[in-house]
Amino acid sequence: MDFTTTDHVRLHYTEIGDQDNPTILGIPGIGGSSQMWLNTIALFKNDFHFIMLDPRNQGQSERTYKGQRMSRHAADVEELLEKLDLHDVIGIGNSMGAANLWAYLAQYGKGRLAAMVDLDQSPKMIADETWKYGFKDLTWDNYPTYLKLDFGKSTYAHIDDEMFNKAKMEYVKYPYNPDENYKCLVDHAEQDWRDIILDTPVPMLVLAGENSPYFDYHFIDAVSFINDQVVTESVKNCGHLIQAEQPIKMHDEIINFLKQKNIFLNISKI
């Protein structure tokens, strides 16, 4: 399904599950495929209404020069949720998908969200004297040119072959060009979301892959230091794509988080 944003960009989304159930919104990372979420969706679909959004310039959404910034991505989330008349949504973002949700909280407060889940995204990408858990070797000295490099493989554990092949076929049909979306990556990298973590308006869960090639998973300890009410957990035998590499572990951690925070306790299998 598609909808058109207020800046006239066509965005694609999919819906699975009973619309009377609580809603989960999944957002992949920059250049990521929604197909990598299929096994995760299968685990949630009986008890949740699951929506996957393809951000602008990736997946089946329109390629455009417009809105290559986190603030516009946040507006895209709000406009989708408004169009579908959804409230109390659980937002789950992998990599830059999590930054989209932090941007949403920065612009709209709680807005239409009930909770947020971050899958392997440090709140600050650029390491400096105040934060040592940045993205790989990115610093102010090599920003933004470092972002032009090939970052290599994002995963550690084996990904289900069928799901991987579906993602590969989607990339063939809907190619992603990082050069055309470079401004978005630069804007993403420049952000610092620690203030949102400190004063988060919704319950928050942060999961980090212990074998992530992109982030030192100990960033979750720093997140806990900023706000000890944020629930954090590391995921063993897992790289950057937690939803694809360890979907069962991710599902269980999210369900435990919802229980701990007393969110949607009427769900049948929780």
Side-chain angles (χ1 to χ4, degrees):
M1 289 171 278
D2 295 340
F3 79 103
T4 301
T5 64
T6 54
D7 65 340
H8 310 294
V9 174
R10 179 190 56 79
L11 298 185
H12 181 79
Y13 66 97
T14 57
E15 284 188 274
I16 296 175
D18 189 338
Q19 295 183 11
D20 290 333
N21 286 338
T23 298
I24 290 175
L25 171 66
I27 308 177
I30 190 167
S33 171
S34 294
Q35 301 300 313
M36 287 292 198
W37 292 65
L38 292 178
N39 288 356
T40 286
I41 293 170
L43 293 169
F44 283 102
K45 68 180 182 180
N46 289 337
D47 286 311
F48 292 88
H49 170 220
F50 206 111
I51 296 174
M52 281 300 307
L53 172 64
D54 287 348
R56 54 182 62 206
N57 285 318
Q58 63 190 70
Q60 297 183 44
S61 289
E62 182 179 347
R63 273 49 176 170
T64 178
Y65 66 91
K66 297 179 182 178
Q68 294 189 25
R69 63 187 70 90
M70 291 296 96
S71 58
R72 181 61 243 187
H73 280 248
D76 292 344
V77 170
E78 172 64 11
E79 289 175 20
L80 173 61
L81 299 182
E82 181 180 29
K83 167 187 164 53
L84 299 176
D85 193 25
L86 294 172
H87 300 269
D88 296 322
V89 173
I90 301 166
I92 306 177
N94 172 231
S95 194
M96 195 184 82
N100 290 358
L101 294 171
W102 282 324
Y104 180 92
L105 296 176
Q107 289 176 221
Y108 301 100
K110 178 181 185 294
R112 295 170 181 267
L113 298 184
M116 174 189 161
V117 180
D118 163 20
L119 303 178
D120 205 57
Q121 175 63 54
S122 169
K124 189 177 184 323
M125 292 274 284
I126 300 176
D128 57 23
E129 66 276 6
T130 73
W131 186 258
K132 64 180 181 179
Y133 301 108
F135 174 76
K136 293 176 75 74
D137 296 320
L138 181 63
T139 67
W140 288 113
D141 291 333
N142 58 25
Y143 166 86
T145 53
Y146 183 83
L147 300 172
K148 287 281 191 180
L149 300 179
D150 180 354
F151 300 133
K153 188 178 179 181
S154 62
T155 57
Y156 176 81
H158 177 74
I159 293 175
D160 176 79
D161 290 334
E162 182 179 358
M163 185 171 63
F164 179 82
N165 288 332
K166 286 182 178 179
K168 193 172 181 180
M169 287 188 291
E170 183 180 69
Y171 281 126
V172 171
K173 190 172 182 179
Y174 305 99
Y176 175 74
N177 188 333
D179 292 335
E180 292 179 356
N181 206 31
Y182 176 67
K183 289 182 179 179
C184 184
L185 179 59
V186 169
D187 187 80
H188 165 43
E190 192 170 321
Q191 305 304 316
D192 181 350
W193 303 110
R194 289 177 291 179
D195 61 320
I196 303 302
I197 288 174
L198 178 62
D199 296 318
T200 178
V202 296
M204 188 179 297
L205 169 66
V206 179
L207 299 178
E210 289 194 5
N211 307 102
S212 174
Y214 292 167
F215 298 105
D216 179 346
Y217 74 94
H218 292 97
F219 81 81
I220 62 174
D221 298 329
V223 167
S224 294
F225 181 79
I226 294 170
N227 185 343
D228 62 9
Q229 295 304 302
V230 173
V231 179
T232 62
E233 189 66 49
S234 62
V235 181
K236 297 182 183 300
N237 190 35
C238 189
H240 186 56
L241 302 185
I242 296 174
Q243 73 281 4
E245 298 177 63
Q246 297 294 346
I248 295 175
K249 174 65 172 176
M250 186 209 73
H251 169 270
D252 292 347
E253 290 294 342
I254 291 174
I255 295 302
N256 289 337
F257 163 69
L258 296 179
K259 285 181 178 180
Q260 181 180 341
K261 297 299 183 179
N262 297 316
I263 302 171
F264 303 137
L265 291 184
N266 60 330
I267 303 303
S268 62
K269 295 185 179 179
I270 293 182

